[in-house]
Every structure is written in structure tokens, then in C-alpha cells.
Amino acid sequence: MLARFADELADVTDAMAMSYFRKPLDVERKADQSPVTLADRAIEAKMRERIAQKFPAHGILGEEHENTRLESAHIWVLDPIDGTKSFISGMPTFGTLIACLSDGAPELGVISIPPTGERWMGLHDKPTTLNGTPCHTSGRTRLADATLYTTTPDTFDAAGSGKFEALSGQVGMRRFGGDCYAYGLLASGHVDLVFEMGLHPYDYMALVPVIEGAGGVITDWQGGPLGLHSDGHVIAAASAALHQEALAALS
């Protein structure tokens, strides 16, 4: 039931996002100076409306509107447009993130990329799918062979920059950009590592079932599980062995 509903919800949000994409939009700045548009707010409002209709007892944590019923056993975690900077600059690499947590653990995660029509769905203890077909990470185990992505080095503080340089100096190739798209590409075997900091629960909770169900590993920088109270330092890897090599590089 959850998967079908999340898929239908993503259909709605994809259509809404594309109706705003590459159209004139007023851009506002939030308190943290990150950009937000009418599209972000309208899409999340529609998501909340649909969830409240279907699961009125469930909690909702989102980026753009007030959180509700966070004491509930089931909590939806929403990012209407992950990659707003890409969205407002016409880059087709933004996505919508949908997660459902059960007793604090991610039970379902969706990465939906409206411009490309790609949608990854992860369910706890089940294989991740891309548009309904199972997908897998590359399984690479060595940093020297790995392709590493981070969205932008602008998010790193001095300590984070040092960690990134230590890690990226050992990989085969490093690239920038992608936002949530990079994690979908990791789940499909095209990217091997993603390394980021400064993320919020709505940025990473949906990623957990997607990466794990495709055979990858996603944790904080200390190797701990990601939850609503994590510090926003995220590393995802195509295999447990690659993850361990990456953690060793960080230390």
C-alpha cells in the first residue's frame, strides 16, 4: 500500500514540477540564505494534502512547511524539489524525495527525477527498482577505481573540505553536481561514492532504502546509521568494502 501510494504521489509531484520548470519564477531567500520558490511550496502543500487524506494519523516532516504529528509511529519525510538551485537555473538534475519512516527507521524511499522520467524506489529488505526494474550498484570495492560525486564544495566548512580532499585524492575520478540524482545513479551502478555535509533529514532519509536495496551502504561519516537526528554528514558507497576504504581515508 505504501509503495503504490508513494508512486502515485510522485506522479503528481513530477507533473507539478515540470509545469514550473524553466518558467519565470520569483526566488526568495530563506533564513539560511538557501533559495525557495512557489514551486517548492506548492508541491509540498499538495503532497501534504494527499498524505493527510490517505493517512490522517501519519506525521509529516518537510522542508517548506510546518512539521506535524512527529510523535506518530509513521512519519513521511518530504523534499518537494531537492536541488532548487539546479531547478531555478534550468538544470534537469533536480528531484523529489519521498520517505516513510516506521518507528524512526526508513521503510520506503523514492527518488523521482521529473525531467528524465527516472524513478528509484527502495523498500526495506527488498530490491531497489528503477522504473519498476531491479537495479544494482556497481559493486566496486577500491577507491582507486571509484567515481566520486559531491553536489558542491560550497557546502563544506574547513574541516569538511579537508575530509573531501583526503577522500577524493584517492579515487579514480571526482565530479560535482547532481543533488539527489547522484544517489540514484549510484543505485544503478554509474557512480560509486557520494560524499556530502550540511544535509537535513528531508535530504537523506529517502536515500537510505534506495541505496541499501541496491546493494550499497549509506551512513554518516563515522559509519553510523542515518536518522532524523543525524548531523547531516553523509557518505554513500557502492559496496561495504568501498565504504570501509572511504571511512579509513576520512580518518
Side-chain angles (χ1 to χ4, degrees):
M1 178 187 295
L2 287 178
R4 181 179 301 174
F5 173 76
D7 204 32
E8 293 170 353
L9 188 62
D11 286 341
V12 172
T13 61
D14 280 5
M16 289 184 69
M18 293 308 294
S19 74
Y20 290 104
F21 185 49
R22 293 179 177 169
K23 306 285 174 48
L25 280 173
D26 290 332
V27 179
E28 300 177 17
R29 294 284 170 177
K30 294 188 283 191
D32 64 358
Q33 294 304 302
S34 62
V36 64
T37 70
L38 170 66
D40 298 81
R41 291 171 175 153
I43 292 169
E44 185 174 317
K46 177 59 70 174
M47 296 166 82
R48 287 170 172 270
E49 176 186 320
R50 292 293 184 102
I51 291 168
Q53 289 172 349
K54 184 72 172 179
F55 303 106
H58 288 193
I60 303 176
L61 185 157
E63 181 173 10
E64 308 302 342
H65 297 281
E66 187 176 351
N67 299 326
T68 59
R69 295 182 296 278
L70 296 189
E71 73 284 356
S72 301
H74 288 87
I75 299 173
W76 292 85
V77 184
L78 312 172
D79 192 346
I81 297 180
D82 182 82
T84 297
K85 292 177 182 177
S86 295
F87 178 77
I88 62 179
S89 58
M91 286 292 290
T93 54
F94 67 91
T96 297
L97 296 175
I98 303 169
C100 186
L101 278 55
S102 178
D103 294 324
E107 184 173 343
L108 169 147
V110 174
I111 304 172
S112 195
I113 311 295
T116 66
E118 294 167 291
R119 185 178 300 165
W120 288 268
M121 180 173 289
L123 294 167
H124 180 62
D125 285 340
K126 291 187 178 180
T128 293
T129 60
L130 168 58
N131 293 347
T133 300
C135 60
H136 308 279
T137 69
S138 67
R140 287 195 177 90
T141 59
R142 300 175 64 246
L143 286 178
D145 301 324
T147 296
L148 166 68
Y149 261 80
T150 194
T151 297
T152 171
D154 292 344
T155 61
F156 295 133
D157 58 18
S161 293
K163 297 281 190 184
F164 177 69
E165 292 300 329
L167 177 61
S168 64
Q170 299 187 45
V171 302
M173 178 169 65
R174 71 178 190 178
R175 302 294 298 162
F176 299 93
D179 301 294
C180 64
Y181 196 18
Y183 296 88
L185 295 176
L186 192 155
S188 287
H190 306 296
V191 173
D192 307 304
L193 281 168
V194 185
F195 180 78
E196 297 189 285
M197 73 177 295
L199 302 188
H200 301 277
Y202 45 76
D203 296 313
Y204 60 75
M205 292 310 306
L207 310 175
V208 176
V210 172
I211 297 300
E212 292 181 346
V217 179
I218 181 168
T219 68
D220 64 21
W221 290 1
Q222 286 72 48
L226 297 175
L228 291 179
H229 304 292
S230 296
D231 62 8
H233 295 42
V234 173
I235 183 165
S239 69
L242 184 62
H243 182 256
Q244 286 301 310
E245 269 205 30
L247 292 182
L250 296 180
S251 64

